[in-house]
Amino acid sequence: MGLEMPDSASSEGSTPASDEDISLLDAPPDKQEEELETQAESSPQQPDDIPANGTSKADVKLEDLFDQDDDDEFPGLSSNIPSSSPPPTSPAVPVAQAEKFSDPQIMLQFYSRLFPFRQLFQWLNHGIKPSPDFANREFAFTLSNDAYLRYQSYPTADLLRKDILHLNPSRFEIGPIYTTNPRERKTLRKSSAFRPLSKEIVFDIDLTDYDDVRTCCDKANICPKCWKFATMSIKVIDIALREDFGFEHILWVYSGRRGVHAWISDKDARELDDEKRKALTGYFEVIKGGVQGGKRVNPKRPLHPHLTRSLEILKPYFRTAILEDQDPFLSQAGSDRLLELLPDKALNDALRKKWSSSPDRPSAKKWADIDAVAQTGVSKTLDTTKLREAKEEILLEYTYPRLDVEVGKKRIHLLKSPFVVHPGTGRVCVPITGDASQGAQVDEFDPFSVPKVTELLAEVDAWRDSADDGGFVEDGATMRKVQEFEKTSLKPYIETFERFVKGLLKSETRLKRERDEDGGGVDGMDF
Ligand code: ZN
């Protein structure tokens, strides 16, 4: 079935892509060399070799941990840019504490005892029996010395696990399914024969993109107040993906520090070409332009149903998360910005006068003043429709999702795997929700209660000390050994992931059966 973009999906400026246009290696320009996968790309001071236990590791780590965030899909990209500033000397997190999160011994224990390889395999393989969907999938590893290995691939979950235990990466990323096994790409006679076939559509939301509207934190810092921006984004995008595009299998994953990733895993989504990905991403590009000057939200009227629905979802958050928590119109600059976005000069003059006599007037009161003052008739020329529309657009400017649009546009992009550990915070990149019926999970999700890798390992040890049943639990009529993750606070997150994968596999089985019936049913059973 073809995927039709809803009407307002913009494909402006798009040009049809031919096979020749597909660049095998995306983004970091220095990665556009075939040989790059064995290069240590961490810093100019560390040329081609991959030190086993790099002596300059501490320096590199500091920069990695505190200067940049790896919430983007290209770890190490920014570390290729020689930094003119020295590593920070007073990081927000004590060095000793930060160091231990990416301690190789800790990572090794995490991978061997807790990482859900089986579930990850089933998700990426779209079935239980190993298939090319898994075997031709690219994995990319960031090693503990910051070397970056691309184009790794594995026929089975066991082989992936074995190699991860061997390489012990500080984190790893997932790329597309290629026409062939990525490890064998150089054996192909024509390099154009090696190209990405399919991949989940991914979205990346990063709270640094909200720095012009959040007053509580900036840069990589977040707090429960500004986390609400992530909550709002998930609410608005998830329902649109389901209702407007018909997708069902959408996994939302915490990026470990200040962002959220969406993995749209439906077969239709995975097979979307880059042009359609671009159009899909464009559907959510409502906030445009720079921070300086003019309206950033300028939708067509009447509003597209997606925006009408989004407004309804966002209104209560605007009241609490924006007007109360962020209080963006309290400051003079914020107040000026609000007036700049209102359409009527006489009304603005009256509001400015009112507010200048009470400089501490909070945002909620200022927002209420707009209608109250308008109703006094200060403006003879007031267009009430324009005023209402301006207020809707202000609401959207302060609440509507801000996507890192580049990430969603191409199949070839890599994105950090769910369940890896963020090296800066030690927190596991856990799923937030993978199920529309679990909307409450989104509101309840607290990034500060996401377990850290060190806590999880301590929980396993504590359980062992307290266990008196020999480590077995009832499972139906039989007893089975308790899995390590079940002894930890990672359990509910792995269960969320398992439910998500189960739902996806069910759809895949149904699609396969339909295909087989259409084609005469000669294909064997998968599982
Ligand atoms: Zn904050």
Side-chain angles (χ1 to χ4, degrees):
M1 112 189 179
L3 189 113
E4 292 300 320
M5 290 298 139
D7 288 336
S8 81
S10 158
S11 56
E12 280 168 41
S14 62
T15 48
S18 66
D19 278 359
E20 290 76 20
D21 287 329
I22 296 170
S23 142
L24 289 185
L25 295 158
D26 197 40
D30 54 322
K31 284 187 197 164
Q32 304 223 353
E33 305 294 327
E34 279 279 301
E35 281 66 40
L36 64 85
E37 79 270 30
T38 51
Q39 285 179 4
E41 58 148 37
S42 60
S43 75
Q45 294 85 0
Q46 281 187 316
D48 300 321
D49 56 325
I50 304 175
N53 277 306
T55 44
S56 58
K57 184 177 146 190
D59 295 336
V60 175
K61 282 248 176 289
L62 269 176
E63 234 183 284
D64 181 44
L65 294 177
F66 305 119
D67 248 356
Q68 306 117 19
D69 196 275
D70 77 330
D71 279 348
D72 68 6
E73 78 281 29
F74 298 113
L77 166 60
S78 38
S79 57
N80 282 312
I81 303 162
S83 170
S84 56
S85 55
T89 49
S90 56
V93 184
V95 173
Q97 192 194 336
E99 275 292 320
K100 76 183 179 190
F101 294 134
S102 48
D103 180 303
Q105 277 313 309
I106 286 175
M107 289 310 299
L108 195 58
Q109 284 205 47
F110 173 71
Y111 288 128
S112 65
R113 302 166 81 177
L114 296 171
F115 194 90
F117 286 104
R118 182 175 54 85
Q119 296 88 335
L120 186 86
F121 164 80
Q122 291 184 1
W123 169 45
L124 298 174
N125 184 61
H126 316 117
I128 290 167
K129 187 180 139 196
S131 76
D133 281 10
F134 191 78
N136 295 346
R137 171 82 74 161
E138 177 185 2
F139 290 89
F141 299 107
T142 303
L143 304 186
S144 63
N145 60 18
D146 271 3
Y148 188 55
L149 257 85
R150 279 198 64 180
Y151 298 118
Q152 306 302 299
S153 58
Y154 305 91
T156 65
D158 275 350
L159 289 169
L160 170 68
R161 182 175 186 274
K162 213 174 144 196
D163 212 25
I164 284 184
L165 295 183
H166 168 66
L167 295 168
N168 197 16
S170 58
R171 54 196 185 271
F172 66 91
E173 298 178 302
I174 297 169
I177 299 164
Y178 282 92
T179 43
T180 183
N181 172 354
R183 286 182 191 271
E184 289 166 8
R185 70 194 185 287
K186 285 182 183 171
T187 64
L188 298 172
R189 294 239 313 276
K190 278 174 65 185
S191 66
S192 61
F194 181 71
R195 54 194 166 79
L197 279 182
S198 67
K199 201 195 70 179
E200 295 74 11
I201 297 173
V202 292
F203 285 160
D204 183 11
I205 294 154
D206 188 321
L207 292 191
T208 51
D209 289 329
Y210 289 84
D211 279 358
D212 64 300
V213 291
R214 59 174 181 160
T215 57
C216 52
C217 308
D218 67 352
K219 305 199 175 86
N221 303 306
I222 66 160
C223 72
K225 284 182 179 178
C226 53
W227 182 255
K228 287 278 180 268
F229 286 112
T231 308
M232 290 186 262
S233 292
I234 299 173
K235 292 265 171 159
V236 164
I237 296 173
D238 190 81
I239 195 164
L241 289 171
R242 292 176 195 279
E243 293 190 356
D244 304 349
F245 296 93
F247 297 132
E248 289 176 53
H249 304 289
I250 306 157
L251 185 70
W252 291 93
V253 181
Y254 176 46
S255 71
R257 174 136 66 184
R258 50 160 203 209
V260 174
H261 298 153
W263 293 83
I264 310 163
S265 304
D266 298 64
K267 191 171 170 61
D268 284 340
R270 302 196 309 263
E271 292 175 352
L272 230 53
D273 65 24
D274 287 352
E275 282 308 304
K276 289 215 174 79
R277 273 167 212 254
K278 208 170 148 187
L280 179 68
T281 311
Y283 189 73
F284 295 100
E285 273 184 90
V286 170
I287 296 179
K288 292 181 178 146
V291 182
Q292 302 291 311
K295 286 159 73 168
R296 301 193 65 191
V297 178
N298 207 356
K300 276 193 200 124
R301 300 284 173 170
L303 283 183
H304 186 281
H306 161 60
L307 286 182
T308 309
R309 177 183 54 215
S310 300
L311 272 173
E312 287 312 306
I313 295 170
L314 293 167
K315 265 178 195 163
Y317 290 102
F318 183 70
R319 206 154 288 286
T320 53
I322 304 300
L323 294 179
E324 284 170 25
D325 291 348
Q326 297 296 333
D327 206 355
F329 311 133
L330 176 71
S331 68
Q332 187 61 48
S335 186
D336 289 345
R337 176 68 181 152
L338 175 59
L339 291 173
E340 187 187 356
L341 295 168
L342 292 174
D344 190 90
K345 187 173 180 307
L347 174 63
N348 281 4
D349 290 344
L351 287 169
R352 193 176 285 110
K353 196 169 162 225
K354 185 178 173 72
W355 296 344
S356 66
S357 62
S358 55
D360 294 330
R361 198 161 175 80
S363 298
K365 288 224 163 81
K366 283 179 175 163
W367 186 252
D369 288 341
I370 298 171
D371 282 349
V373 173
Q375 275 156 22
T376 63
V378 288
S379 170
K380 302 284 174 278
T381 54
L382 183 70
D383 181 336
T384 51
T385 304
K386 264 200 176 144
L387 180 62
R388 181 179 50 77
E389 290 179 354
K391 286 180 71 188
E392 288 173 350
E393 287 152 16
I394 292 164
L395 192 151
L396 290 171
E397 177 170 321
Y398 283 82
T399 56
Y400 191 85
R402 297 167 180 221
L403 293 180
D404 180 348
V405 291
E406 292 311 314
V407 177
K409 283 180 181 171
K410 289 185 176 174
R411 279 167 294 192
I412 203 158
H413 272 279
L414 295 146
L415 191 66
K416 190 164 60 173
S417 171
F419 291 103
V420 304
V421 173
H422 189 292
T425 63
R427 295 195 199 277
V428 179
C429 301
V430 293
I432 297 169
T433 185
D435 181 347
S437 70
Q438 303 293 317
Q441 281 182 329
V442 179
D443 279 309
E444 285 160 13
F445 184 83
D446 171 14
F448 297 97
S449 71
V450 169
K452 294 179 178 177
V453 61
T454 41
E455 295 165 357
L456 292 171
L457 294 172
E459 284 169 3
V460 178
D461 291 340
W463 192 92
R464 190 164 45 210
D465 294 342
S466 67
D468 54 5
D469 55 5
F472 285 83
V473 282
E474 280 186 43
D475 188 4
T478 58
M479 299 288 280
R480 67 164 174 83
K481 205 168 184 303
V482 178
Q483 298 181 66
E484 300 278 66
F485 80 81
E486 294 178 290
K487 304 168 184 175
T488 72
S489 46
L490 199 58
K491 182 171 185 256
Y493 300 106
I494 291 188
E495 287 170 348
T496 293
F497 188 50
E498 281 177 336
R499 276 196 303 276
F500 170 77
V501 173
K502 215 172 156 183
L504 176 66
L505 262 52
K506 221 170 140 182
S507 290
E508 296 289 325
T509 312
R510 195 187 61 230
L511 286 171
K512 187 163 178 4
R513 197 168 49 229
E514 285 166 10
R515 231 176 18 246
D516 289 351
E517 282 164 7
D518 288 349
V522 284
D523 215 343
M525 294 281 285
D526 230 3
F527 53 89

